Amino acid sequence: MRLLLTALTALTFCACMPHAEVTRVDLNNQSPFHIVQIDRTFIYLIDPRTETCYLVAGGGDSNFAMSAVPCDKLKHNVPEAARFITWAPGAAAPAAAVAAPAD
């Protein structure tokens, strides 16, 4: 009886396990990622497939942090990244300062 209960318990847990599938994608015809290296620690990662931009900070192979950044601001503020960000509209130039009237 104990063996039967153990087998039923094992089958119950197996039925509740999430199902996972491995999917393979051919990326040869896709546009590549672009990397703009700021220094030895910081890089910008630009993905034209998903139209997203990330700031990646890392000190080693296993220690890194990644944060999404707005692509339009990156295009405006980092000229090296602008040529890779084709989907974001060009940011307008900053407004010129208005001179104060003389007394």
Side-chain angles (χ1 to χ4, degrees):
M1 184 70 166
R2 186 175 203 176
L3 182 62
L4 180 62
L5 286 175
T6 304
L8 287 174
T9 304
L11 287 174
T12 303
F13 286 123
C14 290
C16 295
M17 299 292 286
H19 179 69
E21 287 185 32
V22 176
T23 304
R24 297 179 191 264
V25 179
D26 180 19
L27 297 177
N28 291 332
N29 297 326
Q30 300 286 329
S31 55
F33 290 101
H34 302 286
I35 294 176
V36 176
Q37 188 162 3
I38 304 301
D39 57 19
R40 296 181 66 197
T41 306
F42 295 99
I43 64 168
Y44 285 109
L45 174 67
I46 302 165
D47 183 8
R49 286 174 242 155
T50 59
E51 297 182 353
T52 53
C53 301
Y54 299 96
L55 174 64
V56 180
D61 291 336
S62 61
N63 298 325
F64 71 93
M66 190 160 128
S67 178
V69 294
C71 291
D72 56 341
K73 289 186 179 183
L74 181 62
K75 182 177 183 176
H76 178 70
N77 294 324
V78 181
E80 297 85 359
R83 66 185 179 125
F84 303 120
I85 305 171
T86 58
W87 62 90
V98 177
D103 289 332

